[in-house]
Amino acid sequence: MMRLRPTVFERIIGGELPCARVYEDELVFAFMDAGQLNPGHVLVASRKPYITLMDTDEETAVAMMRAARNIARAVQQQFHPDGMTILQANELAGWQTVPHCHLHVLPRYIDDGVGLVWPRKEPGMEALLQYAEKIRASSELLTL
């Protein structure tokens, strides 16, 4: 999918819009989410304008997760949340709201009013085995 104009993240990374920067390197740019879920909510974005995680190169994906881990540790130390959610969403159906690959580092507290709920579907072992086989059929993508 091609974008016609820069996303808000591209404008932030490019210095056109202000932000509270937390971390940056050649692959990653991390900044405070203007819509704080809880104090310490950080966005970790790819520096290049990849739309989804599946669009990124492996080096960027690894760098983003490394940065998210280190930022989560710093948030834990400074804000003392009860827990931490690292969220990465892709496409509208996957809850992505900005078409630029990013992760949320979300400090969480008991009864903070945030919910992540989905109906469990339990298709049974036969279906699970079929799903696994379909994924393994793309073995060239499963190189770890």
Side-chain angles (χ1 to χ4, degrees):
M1 175 192 293
M2 190 163 162
R3 291 186 291 249
L4 299 177
R5 55 190 154 144
T7 66
V8 65
F9 288 2
E10 288 172 86
R11 294 173 67 199
I12 288 169
I13 292 166
E16 182 182 338
L17 296 175
C19 75
R21 184 183 57 79
V22 172
Y23 172 81
E24 66 180 303
D25 62 28
E26 63 279 353
L27 299 173
V28 174
F29 192 92
F31 54 99
M32 301 305 299
D33 191 321
Q36 293 282 289
L37 178 71
N38 285 312
H41 179 176
V42 177
L43 298 174
V44 179
S46 62
R47 191 172 276 284
K48 288 184 181 177
Y50 297 112
I51 296 175
T52 70
L53 179 66
M54 289 75 70
D55 299 325
T56 65
D57 58 49
E58 187 171 338
E59 185 180 21
T60 297
V62 169
M64 289 176 64
M65 185 54 78
R66 182 180 300 118
R69 174 189 177 269
N70 291 339
I71 290 166
R73 293 176 74 207
V75 167
Q76 182 73 42
Q77 184 178 52
Q78 295 299 318
F79 293 91
H80 309 287
D82 298 325
M84 192 78 63
T85 297
I86 308 299
L87 177 69
Q88 199 285 313
N90 298 281
E91 304 291 351
L92 186 59
W95 304 333
Q96 185 177 18
T97 58
V98 176
H100 188 119
C101 186
H102 63 286
L103 297 108
H104 291 260
V105 176
L106 302 164
R108 300 296 308 280
Y109 299 90
I110 301 297
D111 297 325
D112 65 7
V114 177
L116 180 61
V117 182
W118 60 80
R120 284 183 55 101
K121 299 173 184 161
E122 298 182 19
M125 185 54 73
E126 186 174 322
L128 295 175
L129 291 168
Q130 290 173 4
Y131 301 161
E133 178 58 36
K134 286 182 103 154
I135 294 168
R136 285 193 309 272
S138 294
S139 60
E140 75 279 1
L141 299 176
L142 294 178
T143 57
L144 301 176

